[in-house]
Amino acid sequence: MLAELRVRDLATIADVTLQLGPGLNVLTGETGAGKSMLVDALALLLGERAASGGVRPGAAKSVVEGAFEGIDAATRRQIEELGLDVEEGRVVVRREVSAEGRSRAWVNGSPTTAAVLADLGALLVDLHGQHETQSLLHTEAQRDILDAFAHAEAERRAVAEAHATVAALRAEQTALAARRDEVRRRADYLRHVVDEIDAARIKPGEDETLQLEARRLSQAGALVEQAQRIVEVLEGEGGNALGALGLANRALAGLEKVDPMTAEWRELLDDAYANLSELSRLATEYASSVQEDPERLAGVERRRDLLFRLTSKYGATLEAVSATREEAAAELDLLDTADTDLRALAARRDATEAALRAAADALSARRAEASDRLARAVNRLLPQLGLAGGKLSVVLNPLEEPGPHGRESVQLHVQLNVGLEAKPLAKVASGGELSRLMLALKVVLVKHDAIATLVFDEVDQGIGGETGAQVGSALAEVAERHQVLVITHLPQIAARADSHLVVSKEARRGIATSDVQVLHGEDQINEIARMLGDAEGEAARRHAQALLRSPAVAKRR
């Protein structure tokens, strides 16, 4: 429930805090005192579009904060699915709107967006204010009301799941058929790709090997000359490296005889001799192996040209060319398997569509049985709520085929006066009538509605007397299972309050300023007497006391 609502610098409100409790919370006050402004503040807190014009003159920003407590496990899971945290069953929401119209919001201290606030608000508060778009006007909400009354949660879930599966299978069929047709159009090209690459018999790393071989063949004479020069330096007649090492060996032998310490040099000399001997051998073999071979060079270049053409057409590397070949082959394989796969998908789709039809039939049966019961239950209440000629009916409009919500749309029709044609609710109901229709539905659906807090503004528009008492009774009945906040001008409703708050307005420093007080005892009697038309008169006070002592009110206390 909404435990606290604090509003700062919004229109006539400087700084007001509403402490709200369970049950029926009633907000009263003179016309223009700012009662509906508090509902507007709550709407702003729950994602309503922000406007700079609402910021109090002289203030930099408007701030609205709300603390919601006692959040149940099911609602907590839905809130967490929005990416928000619930701390010990509590959610604190803050919204700021600057004088320039910029808006910021936080949930439990973490920044969020107005869109997320709207989703969160839909879980926490059912708001029916005079400036709000009434959820009851939307066919989706009307469908949800009927399904909740019909206890059709399982059937709705079965229809939604079956429809999603059918849609997925249809999409898979369409995609596979499109791929098959595309492959058919490209089949000749794909076969050419596979055949051309297969004919090349590509070997991994072949391009690099051929490049090296081409360089060696094209420069064979120069390579032989350089290798032979190495051999000549190491072993040639006259001065050569290996001969020099032989002289060094004899000199070292003489040193070792006189100074044994020089024996440590022997290993270095032996290693040098062995390494140069091996280098001479390798250079000799290399010079013998490299030969000018114009015919082989031409063959290598032809092969390199072939590989270059393939990489130009099918990929930058030989690995990419091979991958292109595998992709083309896989697409050709699709031609062999697509028809079989499409037949299997069609069989699965037929079975799932049959399941969808069965689930939709079950949901339709639930709705058909519940629609008359819902209408009768609401119609019994309407005369008591000031709609003596009112009559609600539930219309089920068949669809061409079952959708994600069943095989029919649900629409509430209403006849507000005897003799008039029943029309869709959105076309005939005013704000006050709509609030009372919603109130009647809430009374009927009170066991099914998961939203903890209900807010009614204008619910008593155009009524009074006994009808007002009946509206108060209906609100009290809803408040037994929900937290209800109602703005009213009727003393019959105010007398039933579990918590009575009054809004007043006065000029402070030349600016109209609203304030809120919680009423008890004599203060409540005085306010109800004012609502009866005579705040100072004894008759009005006695009437107010009588309302507060009435059996229905006393029972609630």
Side-chain angles (χ1 to χ4, degrees):
M1 71 173 189
L2 177 61
E4 182 177 287
L5 177 67
R6 185 181 184 189
V7 184
R8 286 183 287 162
D9 295 321
L10 180 66
T12 61
I13 300 173
D15 193 346
V16 162
T17 299
L18 276 69
Q19 301 291 342
L20 303 172
L24 182 59
N25 297 262
V26 171
L27 201 61
T28 65
E30 297 279 3
T31 300
K35 300 186 297 297
S36 292
M37 185 58 62
L38 292 168
V39 176
D40 293 343
L42 182 57
L44 186 66
L45 186 69
L46 300 174
E48 180 75 9
R49 183 178 178 182
S52 59
V55 178
R56 184 172 170 81
K61 62 186 177 183
S62 298
V63 181
V64 184
E65 295 176 281
F68 297 86
E69 297 180 348
I71 296 172
D72 60 35
T75 305
R76 175 174 183 155
R77 285 194 295 272
Q78 291 176 294
I79 292 173
E80 289 174 344
E81 287 174 1
L82 297 176
L84 304 173
D85 293 327
V86 179
E87 299 176 357
E88 298 181 353
R90 193 168 192 264
V91 168
V92 177
V93 183
R94 177 184 174 95
R95 182 94 181 268
E96 294 182 357
V97 181
S98 72
E100 295 78 27
R102 293 189 299 273
S103 171
R104 296 193 299 169
W106 297 263
V107 175
N108 284 343
S110 297
T112 190
T113 65
V116 173
L117 283 190
D119 292 337
L120 175 63
L123 299 174
L124 298 176
V125 178
D126 197 349
L127 181 61
H128 305 281
Q130 56 186 338
H131 302 303
E132 310 303 323
T133 300
Q134 304 299 311
S135 63
L136 189 56
L137 298 181
H138 301 299
T139 56
E140 296 85 356
Q142 296 173 16
R143 180 186 65 229
D144 292 344
I145 286 171
L146 176 61
D147 290 346
F149 184 76
H151 296 286
E153 294 82 3
E155 289 81 2
R156 278 171 58 113
R157 189 162 50 250
V159 168
E161 291 174 355
H163 185 272
T165 303
V166 168
L169 289 171
R170 286 176 178 171
E172 190 174 352
Q173 277 184 287
T174 301
L176 181 56
R179 286 179 57 206
R180 177 199 60 190
D181 295 343
E182 177 64 18
V183 170
R184 281 177 177 168
R185 286 192 292 272
R186 301 173 62 233
D188 289 344
Y189 168 72
L190 294 171
R191 291 190 186 96
H192 168 74
V193 170
V194 172
D195 291 345
E196 184 176 19
I197 296 174
D198 283 349
R201 300 178 183 274
I202 297 172
K203 298 175 184 177
E206 183 181 5
D207 50 346
E208 295 177 0
T209 302
L210 289 172
Q211 182 182 21
L212 177 59
E213 185 177 1
R215 283 204 305 267
R216 291 176 62 184
L217 288 170
S218 63
Q219 300 180 52
L223 294 175
V224 169
E225 181 180 347
Q226 295 299 328
Q228 289 175 340
R229 185 172 299 171
I230 291 173
V231 174
E232 178 67 22
V233 169
L234 294 175
E235 298 184 13
E237 296 181 1
N240 60 72
L242 289 177
L245 287 176
L247 294 175
N249 182 56
R250 287 193 292 274
L252 180 58
L255 285 172
E256 287 176 332
K257 292 178 181 178
V258 177
D259 186 355
M261 290 291 292
T262 58
E264 297 177 359
W265 302 353
R266 173 63 60 187
E267 183 177 356
L268 297 174
L269 184 60
D270 290 344
D271 288 345
Y273 190 87
N275 288 334
L276 291 177
S277 296
E278 178 64 12
L279 176 59
S280 177
R281 184 186 68 78
L282 292 174
T284 300
E285 291 180 358
Y286 180 82
S288 300
S289 66
V290 176
Q291 298 178 2
E292 292 185 354
D293 189 341
E295 187 173 332
R296 173 59 185 165
L297 178 58
V300 168
E301 292 298 348
R302 285 193 299 272
R303 180 65 177 174
R304 292 185 69 200
D305 289 343
L306 172 63
L307 297 183
F308 177 77
R309 288 196 301 274
L310 291 177
T311 54
S312 299
K313 292 169 67 176
Y314 303 123
T317 64
L318 293 184
E319 290 78 6
V321 171
S322 297
T324 299
R325 186 266 177 210
E326 295 305 317
E327 290 169 5
E331 289 192 65
L332 289 170
D333 289 342
L334 180 67
L335 288 178
D336 299 328
T337 61
D339 289 337
T340 301
D341 292 342
L342 284 170
R343 285 193 294 271
L345 284 172
R348 288 173 57 197
R349 174 178 159 182
D350 289 343
T352 306
E353 286 178 339
L356 173 59
R357 289 192 294 272
D361 288 343
L363 179 56
S364 295
R366 283 273 191 182
R367 287 171 172 169
E369 184 275 332
S371 58
D372 289 339
R373 285 194 297 111
L374 177 61
R376 288 196 302 271
V378 171
N379 290 335
R380 281 194 295 269
L381 291 172
L382 293 183
Q384 303 170 24
L385 301 180
L387 297 173
K391 185 177 180 182
L392 184 78
S393 58
V394 182
V395 178
L396 304 179
N397 299 306
L399 303 175
E400 291 185 5
E401 62 178 28
H405 305 292
R407 62 169 62 256
E408 62 277 310
S409 64
V410 178
Q411 194 172 53
L412 298 182
H413 284 210
V414 64
Q415 173 187 342
L416 290 177
N417 292 288
V418 175
L420 294 182
E421 180 186 357
K423 293 182 179 180
L425 188 59
K427 295 184 177 180
V428 297
S430 68
E433 291 163 341
L434 186 61
S435 292
R436 276 175 272 155
L437 283 166
M438 176 58 85
L439 179 57
L441 286 165
K442 290 299 178 184
V443 173
V444 173
L445 295 168
V446 69
K447 295 181 180 179
H448 311 280
D449 200 334
I451 298 179
T453 300
L454 309 178
V455 180
F456 291 96
D457 189 8
E458 280 198 335
V459 72
D460 54 5
Q461 183 184 43
I463 63 172
E466 182 57 29
T467 300
Q470 293 295 340
V471 170
S473 177
L475 287 167
E477 185 174 346
V478 174
E480 291 177 1
R481 291 178 177 267
H482 299 267
Q483 181 191 43
V484 176
L485 174 60
V486 58
I487 296 175
T488 184
H489 68 277
L490 290 182
Q492 299 94 321
I493 296 176
R496 289 179 170 271
D498 295 301
S499 177
H500 187 166
L501 302 96
V502 64
V503 183
S504 59
K505 183 171 68 175
E506 63 181 5
R508 295 181 189 171
R509 298 179 182 177
I511 301 176
T513 302
S514 299
D515 199 5
V516 178
Q517 273 185 291
V518 179
L519 300 182
H520 302 286
E522 287 296 316
D523 291 335
Q524 187 178 21
I525 293 172
N526 292 338
E527 172 62 10
I528 293 176
R530 181 199 64 77
M531 297 172 73
L532 288 165
D534 188 359
E536 303 297 331
E538 280 302 317
R541 285 179 56 78
R542 285 195 298 272
H543 191 180
Q545 290 171 332
L547 286 174
L548 290 168
R549 288 198 301 266
S550 67
V553 175
K555 182 180 179 181
R556 286 181 58 79
R557 296 178 190 280

